Amino acid sequence: MIYTTKFGVLARRSTWRWGTVTFVAAAVLGVLLAVALAACGPSGSGRADAASDGGQVSGAAGLGGAPTGVGGSGSAGTGEPQTDGADPGDGGDGGEPEPPVQPTAEDCVTYDPANLTIEQSGDAWRMRDGGHAIKLFATKTDAEDGVKVARNWTRLCFIGRDNDRADRHRYIITYFQGPSGLPFGPAPHFDCITYDPVELAVHGPDGDGWGLRAAATPLLFLASAADAERARLVAAGNTRLCLIGHGNGQPDPSRYQLEYWRQ
């Protein structure tokens, strides 16, 4: 009994002491927690508010919300990119590049190369296909050379035939198409300019028209950029521009001149 009573008294004392210690520890911990919350409360509240407003965060960081940020336009709220004064559509070069010039449509007449003849017409000579006149020449020799070239083809084509210049024949150029397959006859007198097709370029307007050149060598003079582009395309498939009747003594010498190309 004595042992049991003594143990029971000791147990009650131990329980009271442990409860006291626990109470004190809890109180101290509560005080420390209160101090910590008091010290961190305002800053923590600010972070929570900022995190809930993504627009303010990105704007303050200069990522699109501020006028001078990436994606800004110099005035808040426009959402358009800055261009620093340059037009984004043209790279700052002053305008859109000019579209390429379209060549004039082909203008050709078909003839029978086996039916070509020449006849005198006043002080000139004419090449004909039966009843159809094809080309006028200053001399009989030029007309004969014209037939020698034309019999190798089936179509005579013109560039600039619809121009309305006062000296319109100066701006009309000829070339042939459609090989005839006829045996080669006597060779004409060749009067040709040799050029490199890689060096071909159209220049102009130069004076009253556009010039076709191969590097520094002038080849032809045409009434429009479109005519010059057609001539460039024809010349690009050849290496020699040849002429019949060059230097003739007629009052309108261009009218009596025939141009053709050779490889």
Side-chain angles (χ1 to χ4, degrees), residues 52 54 74 81 105 109 121 127 130 166 178 181 183-184 187 210 219 241 244 248-249:
S52 66
V109 295
S121 176
M127 179 171 66
F184 288 107
W210 280 256
L219 298 177
L241 172 62
I244 295 175
N248 70 81

Side-chain angles (χ1 to χ4, degrees), residues 137-225:
F137 295 93
T139 67
K140 183 179 180 180
T141 299
D142 288 347
E144 290 172 342
D145 279 345
V147 170
K148 292 174 184 177
V149 173
R151 73 183 305 274
N152 297 310
W153 308 91
T154 60
R155 294 202 300 169
L156 177 62
C157 302
F158 302 87
I159 301 174
R161 190 160 59 155
D162 60 349
N163 83 81
D164 57 359
R165 306 292 181 108
D167 50 348
R168 62 182 298 268
H169 290 100
R170 179 189 179 196
Y171 299 90
I172 300 174
I173 309 301
T174 54
Y175 62 98
F176 290 94
Q177 280 189 343
S180 66
L182 294 177
F184 288 107
H189 170 71
F190 292 119
D191 182 6
C192 305
I193 302 172
T194 301
Y195 60 88
D196 184 349
V198 175
E199 298 177 336
L200 290 170
V202 173
H203 296 264
D206 183 9
D208 293 330
W210 280 256
L212 176 64
R213 300 180 186 176
T217 303
L219 298 177
L220 296 170
F221 200 61
L222 299 115
S224 69

